[in-house]
Amino acid sequence: MSGGLLDPALNRAPESPRHIHLIGICGTGMAALAAMLQERGYTVTGSDQNVYPPMSDFLARLGIEVMAGYAAANLAARPDLVIVGNVVRITNPEAVALAELGLPYLSMPQALGHFFLADKRSLVVAGTHGKTTTSSLLATTLHRLGSSPGFLIGGLVEAFGRNACAGAGPYFVVEGDEYDTAFFNKVSKFQHYRPHCAILTSVEFDHADIFPDLAAIRASFAEFIGRIPADGALVACLDDPVVAELASAARCPVIGYGTGAACEWQLTDLRAHGLAIDFAVTRRGTVLGRCILPMPGRHNGLNALAVIALLHHLGFAFDAIVAGLAAFEGVKRRQQVRGVVRGVTVIDDFAHHPTAVRETLHALRLAWPENRLIVVFEPRTNSSRRAVFQEEYARVFGDADQVLVREHVPLDSLPMSEQFSSVRLAADLREQGIAARAFPDTEAILADLDRTCRSGDRVVILSNGGFDGIHERLLAQLGRRA
C-alpha cells in the first residue's frame, strides 16, 4: 500500500500494545496524551516538525524520545500502535510509511476514547465559546471536591500546572472540540469522547476551513448530543437559540442554564469587583446563594453556572461547589495578567472569534471602567484570516479605547479578495470613533506601544498563538523606559 492511503481495517488499537508512537507529538493534546500513556506504562516515542519549547521541554523532562522532522525512518522500530495527530496530512512521509508498513493506527481522539474514557464517566464540555475555561472550572472544582478527576483540556490549568491527567476518580473531563479529527477521519473530535454528560455553551459559525456553513456545524453538534445516553444529561445554555433548538431533540434529560426565564438555573444580580465577579444563583425560582468567581465577565459567570448545574446533577452539594469555584486559580491565556510594569498592565487572552472578542472586552471594561483599554489583535486562525467575519469584527471592539491590528499571514489557498483585511477593520473602527490602526508586523506594534503607553493603561493582547513573544517583549520594553 502506498501514497498515504491507510487501510481502514487497521484503524484500531491492537489487543496488547507495548510501544506507541505519536506523529505530531508536540501538539498540546498529543503531548498530554503521550504523558498519560507513559504514565500507564507504555513505551512512548514521537515525532514532529516543530520541536521547540514549551512542549519539547515537557516531553524531555518525561524522558520521551522525540524525533525532529517527519520521516519513514521514524517508524523503523515498527511500533505496535501509531497515533496520528490532526496536523498530519495524507502526503506526510511518515503517514505514507505508516500505510506501507501496515501498522495499526488511531487518531488522538480515538486513542483518548479507547485508553482513558472506556471505564470513566466522560463529562464533555462543548460549544463554540468557553470550552477551555468551563472544562478547567469543572476539573478544578471536582478536584476540590475530592473526586480526583481525569481531564484533557486545551489550556494549561493553573491548579494542576498541566492540561491533562489520567485521574484516579470516576469522572474524566474533556474539552470537546468540534474541529475535525484527522485526515483519515473527517468528523468532529468530540464524536469520539463517549459523553455520559455534557455541557453545551453556544453554537455559532466557526472553523470556516472545514465547515461550509452553520448548518454543517449544527449537524455535528446534533450528532454529538445524540451520543449522550438516556441516563446521562445535557447541561445547555438556553439563552442561545441554536443550543435550545438542538437540546430539544436530546434523548437524555436537559438541564437549562442562562439568564432567561425558561432556564432551570439562572444567573442574576451580577456584580463586578475588578477581575472578579459575584452573582446570585437561582434554581427554579429559588435563590440558592451567591457564587464568587475570580474571573471577570458575565460569560464567565455563565460558564461557572454550567458547572454548578452539572455538579449538582451529579450529587454534589451547592455550598461545596461554590466554595470550589471561589478558589479557582485560572487558566493560562484566558484573561491572564502577564505582568504590570510602570503602571501598565499586560493581559493575554485567546479570544479570536468575534463573539469571544466582544465578551472578553466587555468583561475587562466592567473590571476597569476608568482605565484606558488598548487592544492588540492578531487574526491568526483559519477563520479569522478569511473575510467571512470581516463585518462582524467591526462590531465587537466597542469597549476598546484603542485597537492595534496586525496584518494577517496570508492563506495560500485563497485569493486575497476572500481574505481578512486588517486595514479595512481599522478604517471601519475609526468611523465609529475608535482610535484604530493596522500594522505590518509585531515590531511595528511594539514601537507604537512604546510611544503611547502610559501608567494606568490596560493592554489586552488577543491571539490564539504566540504572537512573536509580544507579551514578554512589551513588558521588557516597558521596563527599559527611563
Side-chain angles (χ1 to χ4, degrees):
M1 185 168 295
S2 61
L5 299 176
L6 297 172
D7 182 353
L10 292 171
N11 186 203
R12 56 174 174 78
E15 188 170 329
S16 301
R18 290 175 294 173
H19 176 192
I20 301 176
H21 181 81
L22 289 80
I23 308 177
I25 194 172
C26 289
T28 303
M30 289 284 279
L33 179 64
M36 291 194 296
L37 288 168
Q38 185 193 57
E39 187 181 336
R40 285 278 176 93
Y42 298 103
T43 298
V44 179
T45 61
S47 59
D48 208 298
Q49 191 68 45
N50 300 303
V51 182
Y52 51 79
M55 285 306 169
S56 59
D57 292 342
F58 170 72
L59 294 165
R61 286 194 301 271
L62 296 173
I64 294 175
E65 180 186 0
V66 179
M67 305 156 197
Y70 300 118
N74 295 340
L75 298 178
R78 296 189 67 92
D80 302 304
L81 173 66
V82 177
I83 299 174
V84 183
N86 176 267
V87 71
V88 177
R89 297 292 173 260
I90 193 170
T91 54
N92 183 298
E94 213 160 318
V96 173
L98 171 62
E100 292 173 343
L101 291 169
L103 300 175
Y105 64 93
L106 295 173
S107 66
M108 188 276 285
Q110 287 173 326
L112 180 69
H114 175 80
F115 288 103
F116 298 100
L117 302 182
D119 59 349
K120 301 278 189 177
R121 296 180 76 183
S122 177
L123 309 178
V124 184
V125 179
T128 307
H129 311 296
K131 292 186 292 292
T132 300
T133 298
T134 308
S135 301
S136 301
L137 286 164
L138 180 56
T140 302
T141 306
L142 276 168
H143 171 69
R144 298 266 184 257
L145 292 167
S147 188
S148 187
F151 57 88
L152 181 64
I153 297 171
L156 189 64
V157 187
E158 296 285 12
F160 306 106
R162 51 183 170 170
N163 71 317
C165 175
Y171 300 109
F172 199 107
V173 177
V174 193
E175 179 176 337
D177 188 0
E178 69 271 27
Y179 206 77
D180 66 355
T181 297
F183 73 82
F184 53 85
N185 187 215
K186 306 301 281 186
V187 302
S188 293
K189 292 177 182 177
F190 57 35
Q191 307 296 3
H192 298 289
Y193 291 158
R194 310 184 185 201
H196 178 76
C197 294
I199 291 172
L200 184 54
T201 64
S202 51
V203 177
E204 289 192 65
F205 181 62
D206 198 5
H207 307 305
D209 53 323
I210 62 169
F211 289 109
D213 49 34
L214 178 59
I217 291 175
R218 287 165 61 116
S220 187
F221 276 99
E223 182 180 350
F224 168 74
I225 291 170
R227 295 179 184 276
I228 304 171
D231 64 344
L234 173 65
V235 178
C237 184
L238 300 184
D239 289 350
D240 183 318
V242 180
V243 170
E245 183 180 342
L246 290 169
S248 67
R251 59 175 175 151
C252 63
V254 175
I255 303 167
Y257 76 96
T259 59
C263 301
E264 177 181 342
W265 292 84
Q266 286 179 281
L267 179 153
T268 57
D269 190 27
L270 184 142
R271 303 168 186 171
H273 311 278
L275 286 178
I277 56 172
D278 75 273
F279 57 91
V281 178
T282 301
R283 183 179 184 233
R284 295 175 179 163
T286 300
V287 177
L288 300 186
R290 297 193 71 83
C291 177
I292 299 170
L293 187 69
M295 300 184 78
R298 186 184 72 99
H299 65 301
N300 282 321
L302 288 171
N303 293 336
L305 184 63
V307 170
I308 293 170
L310 177 54
L311 291 179
H312 188 273
H313 170 76
L314 294 175
F316 294 97
F318 174 78
D319 289 346
I321 297 168
V322 295
L325 289 168
F328 184 62
E329 294 94 336
V331 192
K332 286 193 184 299
R333 310 219 55 215
R334 270 61 179 185
Q335 296 160 3
Q336 179 191 9
V337 175
R338 294 287 291 267
V340 182
V341 177
R342 298 188 180 276
V344 178
T345 303
V346 178
I347 303 108
D348 183 9
D349 196 88
F350 200 76
H352 51 273
H353 187 282
T355 300
V357 171
R358 183 190 67 225
E359 293 297 324
T360 296
L361 298 185
H362 186 59
L364 294 174
R365 174 53 68 204
L366 288 175
W368 293 305
E370 305 300 326
N371 297 85
R372 196 166 63 144
L373 206 58
I374 300 173
V375 180
V376 182
F377 175 54
E378 180 189 34
R380 184 178 175 276
T381 66
N382 276 311
S383 292
S384 64
R385 289 189 286 164
R386 297 166 187 256
V388 62
F389 289 135
Q390 185 79 52
E391 294 183 3
E392 284 87 343
Y393 278 123
R395 296 193 287 266
V396 300
F397 288 89
D399 282 305
D401 295 295
Q402 291 187 24
V403 179
L404 287 61
V405 190
R406 190 194 190 282
E407 288 285 1
H408 77 285
V409 176
L411 289 160
D412 295 336
S413 58
L414 280 184
M416 290 305 295
S417 61
E418 296 179 24
Q419 298 197 38
F420 176 79
S421 169
S422 296
V423 171
R424 180 182 164 190
L425 174 61
D428 289 344
L429 294 176
R430 287 195 297 271
E431 286 185 5
Q432 302 170 41
I434 301 169
R437 298 179 299 286
F439 295 83
D441 51 38
T442 306
E443 286 67 29
I445 291 174
L446 284 166
D448 186 84
L449 290 170
D450 194 41
R451 289 191 302 271
T452 61
C453 277
R454 59 178 186 254
S455 181
D457 286 347
R458 274 45 176 172
V459 181
V460 187
I461 298 170
L462 305 179
S463 171
N464 78 323
F467 207 154
D468 302 323
I470 190 172
H471 317 84
E472 295 304 321
R473 292 170 67 186
L474 175 57
L475 289 167
Q477 179 175 286
L478 291 166
R480 290 192 295 268
R481 281 186 175 180

